[in-house]
Amino acid sequence: MSQLFSPLTVRTVEVRNRLWVAPMCQYSSQDGLPGDWHHVHLAQFASGGAGLVMAEATAVVPEGRITPEDTGIWNDEQRDAWAPIVASIRSRGAVAAIQLAHAGRKASTFSPFATERGTVPGDRGGWQPLAPSALAFDGYDRPVELDLARIDDLVAAFAAAAERSVAAGFEVLEIHAAHGYLLHEFLSPLSNTRTDAYGGPLENRARLLLRIIDAVRAVAPGTPLFVRFSATDWADGGWDVAETTVVAGWAREHGVDLVDVSSGGLVAHQSITTGPGYQVPFAREVRRGAAVPVSAVGEITTGAQAEEILAAGDADAVMAGREWLRDPHFGLRAATELGEDAAIWPPQYVRARRH
């Protein structure tokens, strides 16, 4: 059996293979509620052979949404709307996961489908963004610096969202600390200029993330817990893979089971060199330096490429995004490509397994 189609056990959850669906925002929600689009969108990947299907960045508070059209899980109505979607994913043999998020200074923006860009004004459904420091992302409104009371509220909000997620049936939780959103903003010195216990030295910049990990672990002690990091800001003086590795090690000590390694998103002047598998070296460095399982992501488009990443010991699982959008049956295609007679084929599709 290929490594890609071998199972991976995380705590007590067995994932049937290591080709996973990365969280991808759909900007198609109203009042934070997932709907029919989200149901079909996510369930089709399970039918298509994914081992794990992760729902998009889902806000833990209303002001944590990237856009007014983002999904949320800050109330019980949203929890109940997620439940049938989760059931559909699981009934098709995949593990259902959710990414818990707060957009920080990149909140309250127009969706990619809009003709306008920047921050949505209050009279059009927007709100005041919050951040570790009152430093704006280029082209967005200046955020308000979070005070200590609001930081405490955020820790509680992540814990409450985790409880609702487990109640909805999600089997894996991921804390979003990447792509320039709130927790990444706390981690990076380019966006965090605080002088209190949450700014300055690395242990202070990581304090909020570790508090949230502890709070989530307290309410979901047996649930696999991931953290997504941007391994580098791709900008001088910013967060880098060395700091990511240190904090990933701390996260493991606090109960995180796997680190999901991406990069970028913090500043508009980032300078990224892309190409097939361009972020895999970051995953390899974090895996080896922090002694923690990792997933790799970034222009991974074939079963052979994913298998090579795992065989080289660079990651424990592979996440893909755009390739799943191009082909919701990417998992079935990859299995055929690798000569796997994989049990991931739904009975309804078995007749197509062989030409």
Side-chain angles (χ1 to χ4, degrees):
M1 179 179 287
S2 65
Q3 290 198 37
L4 189 62
F5 287 96
S6 64
L8 178 66
T9 299
V10 187
R11 287 192 180 252
T12 59
V13 174
E14 183 176 273
V15 189
R16 63 183 176 181
N17 65 53
R18 301 173 188 234
L19 184 58
W20 300 352
V21 179
M24 294 176 283
C25 289
Q26 298 298 291
Y27 309 107
S28 301
S29 176
Q30 185 173 3
D31 298 324
L33 292 164
D36 182 64
W37 175 266
H38 302 88
H39 196 143
V40 175
H41 165 70
L42 293 169
Q44 69 179 338
F45 301 133
S47 297
L52 178 146
V53 177
M54 188 171 292
E56 64 194 79
T58 299
V60 300
V61 290
E63 63 272 19
R65 291 171 291 170
I66 305 166
T67 77
E69 295 79 28
D70 280 21
T71 57
I73 194 156
W74 66 79
N75 64 41
D76 291 349
E77 185 181 7
Q78 293 159 351
R79 175 203 62 197
D80 295 344
W82 278 115
I85 300 172
V86 172
S88 287
I89 295 169
R90 296 179 64 174
S91 72
R92 289 161 170 79
V95 168
I98 187 171
Q99 186 182 64
L100 304 178
H102 190 298
R105 68 180 186 175
K106 295 174 76 175
S108 188
T109 60
F110 288 101
S111 86
F113 312 144
T115 57
E116 298 167 270
R117 293 292 176 263
T119 304
V120 179
D123 61 1
R124 296 177 60 187
W127 57 90
Q128 176 66 61
L130 304 171
S133 303
L135 301 172
F137 185 86
D138 287 2
Y140 295 175
D141 285 357
R142 187 181 184 191
V144 170
E145 181 175 309
L146 283 159
D147 60 24
L148 296 179
R150 277 179 157 173
I151 288 175
D152 289 343
D153 290 344
L154 272 173
V155 175
F158 269 91
E163 283 189 292
R164 289 192 184 95
S165 299
V166 172
F170 284 106
E171 300 163 275
V172 171
L173 307 174
E174 178 169 274
I175 297 169
H176 197 356
H179 301 163
Y181 300 122
L182 184 73
L183 297 180
H184 184 186
E185 292 164 20
F186 269 91
L187 292 171
S188 176
L190 296 180
S191 49
N192 182 352
T193 59
R194 300 175 73 101
T195 57
D196 62 5
Y198 294 92
L202 181 59
E203 58 266 30
N204 285 0
R205 287 182 276 127
R207 189 180 305 276
L208 177 56
L209 172 61
L210 297 178
R211 284 190 63 192
I212 288 170
I213 292 169
D214 289 343
V216 170
R217 262 285 154 254
V219 300
T223 303
L225 179 59
F226 299 177
V227 173
R228 172 166 266 200
F229 286 108
S230 280
T232 176
D233 289 339
W234 297 97
D236 291 342
W239 172 256
D240 60 22
V241 68
E243 289 190 320
T244 301
T245 302
V246 172
V247 177
W250 293 344
R252 173 182 52 76
E253 292 168 0
H254 282 252
V256 165
D257 300 295
L258 182 142
V259 171
D260 175 7
V261 184
S262 187
S263 70
L266 185 85
V267 292
H269 64 273
Q270 64 187 10
S271 179
I272 303 179
T273 302
T274 64
Y278 72 101
Q279 297 177 129
V280 172
F282 300 137
R284 176 174 62 240
E285 187 165 344
V286 172
R287 184 177 190 262
R288 295 176 182 176
V292 63
V294 304
S295 60
V297 68
E299 296 193 27
I300 299 169
T301 59
T302 70
Q305 182 190 11
E307 176 68 15
E308 183 178 349
I309 291 166
L310 299 178
D314 293 339
D316 300 272
V318 168
M319 284 198 181
R322 290 177 176 85
E323 194 60 26
W324 283 105
L325 297 183
R326 286 186 284 263
D327 178 6
H329 296 155
F330 179 31
L332 304 183
R333 171 163 57 86
T336 300
E337 178 187 344
L338 295 174
E340 289 284 354
D341 190 19
I344 56 173
W345 282 83
Q348 298 89 336
Y349 290 179
V350 166
R351 73 188 74 176
R353 188 170 60 189
R354 293 282 182 264
H355 290 293

